[in-house]
Amino acid sequence: MNQIGKTFIDRDQQSSFEVFSNINLDVSENQFVSILGPSGCGKSTLLSMVAGLESATEGSITLQDKEIKQAGPDRGMVFQQPSLFPWLNVTGNITFPLKGRIGKKEAEARADQFLKMVHLSRFKNSFIYELSGGMQQRVAIARALAMDPQVLLMDEPFGALDEQTRHILQDELIKIWQETQKTILFVTHSIQEAIKLSDRVVVMGTRPGRIITDFTIDLPRPRQRDDSKVMELENRVMDLLEDEINKVLKEELSNEIQYSH
């Protein structure tokens, strides 16, 4: 990402809102990088721009020296909500984006491969409504991996899950990443999640959106929350974000007061 800026324009009210500007970020191949920050800092917008779903107002984003201008199979996206097709079974959901790219037998073989990886092989013929939220998210991860992308983009994929399921899927994601060696760009609100999963954590601030710091986490996996080094890192990040979170809260409170009058 080279000097990326994003401004939303409201043409009806003739106003604009700058999400962020001058964002510079390089991600190495096979790295697991988390983007962490308070609401409104532009984390999800930035990820959507890497996916090719949003365009930059300024600057450029490249993948292996090729500028990203639209969505493509070299990037797989996993959203907070699984976005699966309810009229297709599990295998059908995974093979759907592969139609026209590879043959049916190869697509089904690839679906079987990644269903085994996310421990859902026996549910291959189940429909989405028959699965729990955590299982649906595993289907979404398998679907993204089946496309064999260079980069896996994950926008708070475990944010809607209960804590126990979230921890289980975090552990599974690390195993998948270690096995596939995909480059992962992961957006989260959770300091604990970012530190548990990542090689690097990019901390963003808000009003305006910007990168506050970018640091490497050189701790062996698996990482436990009660580890003193993990706790030290959590406290360090919390100190960095405290002013940013307070800034958001004050602005929201001010807006509520103005609205009530």
Side-chain angles (χ1 to χ4, degrees):
M1 301 180 198
N2 181 33
Q3 295 184 324
I4 291 295
K6 181 65 176 180
T7 300
F8 289 116
I9 299 174
D10 188 334
R11 301 192 185 280
D12 292 335
Q13 297 185 13
Q14 297 183 339
S15 61
S16 63
F17 172 71
E18 184 180 55
V19 183
F20 47 69
S21 65
N22 198 32
I23 297 289
N24 294 286
L25 180 65
D26 293 322
V27 177
S28 300
E29 190 174 359
N30 309 134
Q31 271 195 327
F32 195 127
V33 179
S34 284
I35 302 176
L36 176 69
S39 298
C41 68
K43 304 184 300 298
S44 293
T45 300
L46 195 62
L47 201 71
S48 292
M49 292 166 70
V50 178
L53 303 176
E54 289 271 3
S55 58
T57 308
E58 300 172 349
S60 61
I61 301 175
T62 57
L63 177 58
Q64 293 188 338
D65 298 323
K66 183 179 179 181
E67 186 173 356
I68 293 172
K69 294 185 177 180
Q70 60 186 10
D74 52 357
R75 286 147 287 140
M77 188 83 171
V78 180
F79 299 93
Q80 183 172 353
Q81 300 297 331
S83 302
L84 301 170
F85 301 121
W87 59 89
L88 296 176
N89 64 16
V90 167
T91 296
N93 269 278
I94 295 172
T95 58
F96 184 83
L98 300 174
K99 289 181 178 179
R101 294 181 55 205
I102 59 177
K104 182 179 178 181
K105 287 187 178 180
E106 185 181 349
E108 289 178 349
R110 195 177 291 186
D112 288 343
Q113 173 190 351
F114 290 104
L115 281 173
K116 184 177 180 180
M117 189 175 291
V118 298
H119 310 295
L120 286 177
S121 293
R122 68 190 184 96
F123 295 97
K124 60 184 293 183
N125 295 317
S126 299
F127 285 89
I128 301 307
Y129 67 85
E130 299 176 299
L131 307 180
S132 68
M135 293 165 73
Q136 290 180 24
Q137 198 60 288
R138 280 189 272 168
V139 174
I141 292 170
R143 179 177 61 184
L145 289 169
M147 295 172 64
D148 194 25
Q150 295 176 39
V151 181
L152 187 60
L153 306 170
M154 309 188 80
D155 190 3
E156 298 191 70
F158 310 140
L161 304 176
D162 63 83
E163 186 174 1
Q164 183 177 0
T165 303
R166 185 172 186 152
H167 285 304
I168 291 170
L169 291 190
Q170 287 170 351
D171 291 340
E172 286 195 5
L173 179 60
I174 285 297
K175 292 175 185 177
I176 290 168
W177 169 71
Q178 290 172 332
E179 185 172 340
T180 63
Q181 284 297 288
K182 294 294 181 186
T183 304
I184 296 181
L185 198 55
F186 188 98
V187 162
T188 179
H189 278 101
S190 170
I191 297 172
Q192 179 189 358
E193 183 169 67
I195 292 172
K196 179 179 180 178
L197 295 176
S198 313
D199 295 323
R200 284 169 59 200
V201 175
V202 177
V203 182
M204 292 186 67
T206 188
R207 314 294 197 271
R210 67 203 184 284
I211 293 176
I212 298 175
T213 190
D214 176 355
F215 60 92
T216 301
I217 301 180
D218 190 17
L219 296 175
R221 295 180 173 92
R223 298 168 185 161
Q224 304 299 328
R225 190 175 186 182
D226 57 359
D227 184 295
S228 60
K229 292 181 178 178
V230 170
M231 294 172 67
E232 182 182 337
L233 276 173
E234 283 191 32
N235 290 332
R236 176 183 166 191
V237 175
M238 191 65 233
D239 288 343
L240 286 168
L241 285 174
E242 189 172 7
D243 287 343
E244 300 301 320
I245 293 170
N246 286 335
K247 193 187 299 183
V248 173
L249 291 174
K250 286 178 181 177
E251 183 172 316
E252 289 177 351
L253 181 61
S254 175
N255 289 338
E256 286 179 7
I257 293 171
Q258 289 178 14
Y259 181 77
S260 66
H261 286 292

